[in-house]
C-alpha cells in the first residue's frame, strides 16, 4: 500500500533530534516529511493512518544485524531478515562484513545492496571489511569499498594480527572518511571461553572470558586513536569498565562513539544457568554490576545507540553442549520491547530511549537520518508502547528462532513502518 500524500494523525510524535514530544499530525509528501502539526493548505492525503494511543517517531537505525546472505542462507536471507526488521520498526540497518564471501570487494557490496533493494524492506548499509578476508593482516581496498557505498569498515569479531595493523587501518580509513567499527575483544584473553568469568560460569564449569578481554582491547584502541585520530565506533560493549573508559576518552575529546546490544541491558550471567544455549552470546552476558554500568552508560549518553546485534542461526547451531554451540541471539524483533523496558525501569525517558534507536546511531554513522525535520526522508515507525505480545511462531518473522525470550510475553509492538514514505509493514 503506498500513497504520495500520507497523513498520520492522532499520535504522540517523539522526534528527539528536534526536541519534539507532542500530540500532532505528521504529513508526508512524495517520500519526504512535509511537516508536523496541522496539514498545509491544499494537503489532500491519499492515505490516512490513525495513530491514536501510539508513538510516532523516526524509523529505527540498527548498527549491527547479520542477514546471513551471502553464504549462510540455511540460517536466514536478506529477504527474511529485512522483513523482520521492518516489522521491528527498523528502516536502516548495518550489516557486518563477516558474510561468505566477506564484504571486502565492491562486488559483494553491490550484491548486498541489490538484494536488499529487491526485497524492498529495511535499507541495508554494508560495513566493509577492515582487512582482506577478515584475516587481520592485509588492509582491504578501502577506497573501492567507500566508492561502492560503505560508510564504515570493521573486522567484525575477527582479530587483527597485531596493533600495527590496527594503527595502519585507522590511518587508512581516516584518509577516506570511513568510520572504523571495533568490536573490542582480545583473542588471547578470550582463550576459547564461552561464558563470563564469574560466579555462574565457574559453578557450571564453563570456560570463562574475563572482562579484561574487552577492557584491554578498548585501552589499546584508545591509545592508538589518541595518536592517529579516528573516528571510531566501539560496538556491542558488555562491561562497566569499558563504558567508563569510553566516557573518559570522550571527555578528553577523542572522536569515539559506542553502542550496546539490547539484551546486554536486560540479561546477566544468571541467564546462562541451566545451560540454555540461546544465552550463549559473544561477548558473554556479564555481571549485574556490568549490566548496571551499561544502563548508566545509556542514561549518561556515553553509549549513543542501542543495537540488536541480530545473529539468526539454524536449529542445529544451538543443539549441542553449551560450549560447542554457536554464539548469537536472533534479536531484531525484541529490540523495541527491551528498549522500552529501560523506560519502565526508569533508566531512560521515552524520548531518550527513542534517541538511542534513531538520532544516536545516525550521528555515529554521520548520516542525515533519524529525524523528522521537514524535507527529511520519510522513514517512520509507529508503535504501541503498551501492547503485550508473546514471542512465538504466530508473530515471529526472523528465520532465526534462537532467542532466550521464546514463549515470553513482552510489551511494545510496532504497528506501522514506513520507509521513504512507503508502508513496508502494517500490524495490528
Amino acid at each position: 500500500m503506498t500513497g504520495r500524500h500520507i497523513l498520520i494523525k492522532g499520535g504522540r510524535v517523539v522526534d528527539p533530534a528536534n526536541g519534539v514530544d507532542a500530540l500532532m499530525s505528521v504529513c508526508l509528501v512524495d517520500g519526504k516529511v512535509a511537516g508536523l502539526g496541522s496539514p498545509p493548505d491544499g494537503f489532500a492525503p491519499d492515505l490516512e493512518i490513525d495513530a491514536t494511543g501510539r508513538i510516532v517517531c523516526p524509523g529505527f537505525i540498527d548498527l549491527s544485524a547479520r542477514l546471513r546472505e551471502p553464504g549462510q542462507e540455511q540460517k536466514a536471507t536478506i529477504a527474511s531478515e529485512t522483513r523482520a526488521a521492518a516489522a521491528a520498526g527498523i528502516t536502516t540497518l548495518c550489516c557486518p562484513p563477516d558474510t561468505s564471501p566477506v564484504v571486502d570487494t565492491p562486488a559483494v557490496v553491490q550484491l548486498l545492496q541489490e538484494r536488499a533493494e529487491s526485497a524492498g524492506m529495511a535499507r541495508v548499509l554494508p560495513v566493509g571489511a577492515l582487512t582482506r578476508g577478515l584475516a587481520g593482516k592485509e588492509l582491504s581496498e578501502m577506497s573501492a569499498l567507500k566508492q561502492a557505498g560503505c560508510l564504515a569498515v570493521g573486522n567484525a569479531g575477527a582479530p587483527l594480527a597485531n596493533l600495527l595493523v590496527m594503527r595502519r587501518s585507522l590511518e587508512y580509513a581516516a584518509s577516506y572518511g570511513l568510520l572504523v567499527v571495533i568490536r573490542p575483544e582480545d583473542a588471547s584473553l578470550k582463550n576459547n571461553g564461552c561464558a563470563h568469568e564469574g560466579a555462574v560460569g565457574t559453578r557450571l564449569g564453563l570456560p570463562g572470558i574475563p572482562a579484561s578481554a574487552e577492557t584491554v582491547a578498548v585501552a589499546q584502541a584508545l591509545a592508538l586513536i589518541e595518536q592517529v585520530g579516528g573516528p571510531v565506533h566501539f560496538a556491542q560493549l558488555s562491561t562497566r569498565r569499558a563504558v567508563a573508559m569510553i566516557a573518559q576518552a570522550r571527555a578528553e575529546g577523542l572522536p569515539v562513539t559506542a553502542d550496546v546490544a539490547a539484551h546486554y541491558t536486560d540479561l546477566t550471567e544468571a541467564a546462562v544457568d541451566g545451560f540454555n544455549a540461546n544465552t550463549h552470546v559473544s561477548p558473554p552476558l556479564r555481571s549485574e554490576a556490568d549490566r548496571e554500568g551499561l544502563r548508566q552508560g545509556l542514561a549518561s549518553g556515553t553509549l549513543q545507540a542501542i543495537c540488536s546485534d541480530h545473529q539468526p542461526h539454524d536449529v542445529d547451531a544451538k543443539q549441542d553442549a553449551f560450549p560447542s554451540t554457536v554464539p548469537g541471539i536472533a534479536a531484531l524483533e525484541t529490540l523495541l520491547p527491551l528498549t522500552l523496558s529501560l523506560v519502565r525501569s526508569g533508566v531512560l525517558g521515552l524520548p531518550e530511549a527513542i534517541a538511542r534507536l534513531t538520532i544516536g546511531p545516525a550521528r555515529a554513522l554521520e548520516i542525515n537520518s533519524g529525524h523528522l525535520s521537514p524535507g527529511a526522508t520519510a522513514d517512520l515507525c509507529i508503535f504501541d508502547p503498551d501492547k503485550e505480545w508473546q514471542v512465538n511462531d504466530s508473530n515471529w518473522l526472523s528465520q532465526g528462532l534462537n532467542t532466550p525470550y521464546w514463549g515470553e510475553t513482552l510489551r511494545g509492538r510496532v504497528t506501522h513502518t514506513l520507509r521513504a514514505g512507503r508502508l513496508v509493514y502494517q500490524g495490528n
Side-chain angles (χ1 to χ4, degrees):
M1 182 181 294
T2 60
R4 292 177 61 83
H5 292 63
I6 301 174
L7 175 65
I8 303 171
K9 61 182 183 181
R12 175 183 170 186
V13 179
V14 181
D15 177 16
N18 289 306
V20 174
D21 184 358
L23 292 173
M24 62 175 63
S25 297
V26 180
C27 301
L28 311 179
V29 176
D30 293 337
K32 303 287 186 182
V33 177
L36 309 183
S38 300
D41 293 340
F43 184 86
D46 305 301
L47 172 66
E48 292 189 14
I49 298 175
D50 184 0
T52 303
R54 297 169 185 169
I55 307 299
V56 181
C57 66
F60 303 148
I61 301 169
D62 189 350
L63 291 178
S64 181
R66 263 80 172 182
L67 307 175
R68 301 306 190 197
E69 187 180 358
Q72 292 186 302
E73 287 83 354
Q74 79 280 10
K75 292 179 181 285
T77 64
I78 290 172
S80 70
E81 302 317 286
T82 55
R83 178 169 170 251
I90 298 165
T91 49
T92 300
L93 61 84
C94 293
C95 171
D98 50 354
T99 51
S100 180
V102 166
V103 187
D104 60 359
T105 66
V108 181
V109 176
Q110 185 176 5
L111 181 149
L112 284 164
Q113 292 173 330
E114 288 179 350
R115 293 189 182 179
E117 288 306 307
S118 177
M121 296 295 174
R123 187 179 295 106
V124 174
L125 301 178
V127 175
L130 197 64
T131 59
R132 294 178 188 270
L134 299 178
K137 297 178 181 178
E138 299 178 64
L139 298 186
S140 63
E141 292 291 341
M142 295 186 197
S143 174
L145 293 173
K146 171 84 172 183
Q147 290 179 1
C150 289
L151 302 174
V153 289
N155 228 45
L160 299 178
N162 54 56
L163 290 175
L164 182 59
V165 175
M166 180 178 288
R167 174 180 176 173
R168 297 295 183 231
S169 69
L170 292 173
E171 294 170 337
Y172 199 39
S175 69
Y176 291 109
L178 284 162
L179 174 70
V180 174
V181 179
I182 294 177
R183 229 276 277 142
E185 187 174 65
D186 184 278
S188 62
L189 288 172
K190 180 181 181 182
N191 192 28
N192 298 317
C194 65
H196 175 57
E197 188 177 278
V200 175
T202 300
R203 177 165 51 79
L204 297 177
L206 296 173
I209 303 173
S212 59
E214 180 168 288
T215 55
V216 165
V218 170
Q220 290 176 331
L222 289 176
L224 291 174
I225 296 165
E226 186 175 21
Q227 183 175 3
V228 303
V232 170
H233 180 76
F234 288 90
Q236 295 96 61
L237 295 185
S238 68
T239 64
R240 175 186 57 83
R241 177 61 183 147
V243 174
M245 296 165 75
I246 298 297
Q248 181 64 34
R250 287 170 58 82
E252 294 173 356
L254 295 189
V256 296
T257 54
D259 70 57
V260 61
H263 41 272
Y264 293 96
T265 69
D266 186 58
L267 302 174
T268 69
E269 58 178 334
V272 176
D273 210 352
F275 299 103
N276 181 357
N278 285 329
T279 63
H280 183 189
V281 291
S282 180
L285 297 170
R286 298 288 187 182
S287 68
E288 177 62 39
D290 287 314
R291 180 176 69 164
E292 182 58 26
L294 294 169
R295 290 180 167 202
Q296 291 308 310
L298 286 170
S300 68
T302 299
L303 302 178
Q304 292 85 0
I306 303 173
C307 71
S308 72
D309 195 21
H310 176 66
Q311 299 187 44
H313 287 302
D314 55 296
V315 174
D316 288 347
K318 294 291 187 179
Q319 296 290 325
D320 208 332
F322 189 93
S324 299
T325 57
V326 183
I329 289 176
L332 289 171
E333 289 152 278
T334 54
L335 176 63
L336 174 63
L338 294 185
T339 300
L340 291 176
S341 74
L342 296 170
V343 177
R344 287 191 291 273
S345 60
V347 175
L348 296 171
L350 182 62
E352 288 74 26
I354 292 174
R356 302 297 181 267
L357 297 174
T358 57
I359 191 63
R363 286 173 176 161
L365 290 170
E366 297 185 350
I367 58 175
N368 181 20
S369 188
H371 58 82
L372 300 178
S373 304
T377 299
D379 291 348
L380 288 94
C381 170
I382 304 172
F383 67 88
D384 182 340
D386 297 316
K387 174 75 173 179
E388 293 189 344
W389 61 285
Q390 187 183 52
V391 181
N392 59 40
D393 285 326
S394 69
N395 51 36
W396 190 259
L397 296 181
S398 171
Q399 201 166 307
L401 308 181
N402 50 302
T403 168
Y405 298 100
W406 197 260
E408 289 196 18
T409 297
L410 304 178
R411 285 178 64 186
R413 192 69 168 157
V414 172
T415 61
H416 301 75
T417 303
L418 296 99
R419 175 188 163 189
R422 186 169 59 88
L423 194 57
V424 293
Y425 174 76
Q426 182 171 0
N428 296 321

